[in-house]
Amino acid sequence: MKRVITHNQTKEPIPFVMLSKLLMMRKEMAPSWLELLLVTQFFSTCTNHLRSSRNECNLFCIDCEEQLVAFCYYCKSRHHSTHRVIQIRRSSYHDVVRASEVEDILDISNVQTYVINGAKVVFLNERPQVRGCGASVGKALSSSSP
C-alpha cells in the first residue's frame, strides 16, 4: 500500500528525514519501517560473513520488524529472499537510496531528489548545505581586495 504524503504549506521539497515528522504533525501514522530506516547504521561489516567479499551491511528489509538491523547480500539471500528490500548507497559520506526503490511504497513527489551517477537518489538524512563556499564567494572576496 502506497502512503500519500503531501505538504501544502510550502512548495519547497521536503528532505527524506522529515517525512516521518511531517506525518506525525498531520496526525497520520508513518510506516513503522521508515523511522527504523532513518536511525539504522549502515555500512558495517557483517559478522556472519566476515570472509566474504560482499559483506557490507547496506540492505534494509521493510517487511521485517527487526529493529536497527542492516544486513549484507548473503543475509538477504538466506533470510529475506521474498521480502521487499531497499539498498542503501553512499554518496560523499552520506546515505542515499534510489528514488525508484521507494517511490512505489511512499509518495516522494515533494521530496528533493538529486541525480548522482545517472540515478535519482534521496538522502536519508538532510543533506548538509555548505554556506559561504563556492566560486561566487571566492570572486567577491578577490574583487574586494585592494
Side-chain angles (χ1 to χ4, degrees):
M1 180 176 156
K2 188 174 185 177
R3 296 273 183 169
V4 176
I5 299 168
T6 59
H7 189 63
N8 296 329
Q9 296 169 347
T10 179
K11 293 184 180 181
E12 294 181 19
I14 306 161
F16 193 64
V17 70
M18 302 308 289
L19 290 179
S20 60
K21 291 179 184 176
L22 175 65
L23 289 172
M24 287 179 192
M25 285 178 9
R26 294 185 155 217
K27 303 204 186 302
E28 295 178 64
M29 291 287 293
S32 58
W33 61 265
L34 180 59
E35 290 193 52
L36 291 175
L37 173 70
L38 297 175
V39 296
T40 298
Q41 295 297 312
F42 295 99
F43 300 100
S44 60
T45 301
C46 181
T47 56
N48 296 325
H49 302 101
L50 290 172
R51 297 182 192 262
S52 301
S53 60
R54 296 174 71 182
N55 64 357
E56 188 174 62
C57 294
N58 67 337
L59 300 171
F60 182 85
C61 183
I62 64 173
D63 291 329
C64 293
E65 293 297 323
E66 297 179 41
Q67 292 190 11
L68 308 177
V69 178
F71 52 92
C72 75
Y73 169 81
Y74 300 105
C75 291
K76 176 189 176 191
S77 301
R78 187 168 191 184
H79 302 290
H80 304 274
S81 62
T82 61
H83 297 178
R84 295 177 293 171
V85 172
I86 298 171
Q87 181 178 358
I88 311 305
R89 293 168 163 76
R90 278 281 178 161
S91 174
S92 301
Y93 304 103
H94 298 284
D95 296 345
V96 299
V97 64
R98 284 190 175 166
S100 61
E101 289 189 50
V102 293
E103 66 189 359
D104 291 338
I105 49 179
L106 285 174
D107 181 352
I108 58 170
S109 59
N110 290 325
V111 178
Q112 178 68 54
T113 59
Y114 298 87
V115 177
I116 298 176
N117 293 331
K120 275 188 177 181
V121 299
V122 176
F123 282 77
L124 293 188
N125 297 295
E126 287 186 75
R127 183 178 185 193
Q129 300 297 317
V130 178
R131 306 246 186 235
C133 294
S136 61
V137 173
K139 287 179 185 176
L141 290 174
S142 65
S143 65
S144 64
S145 302

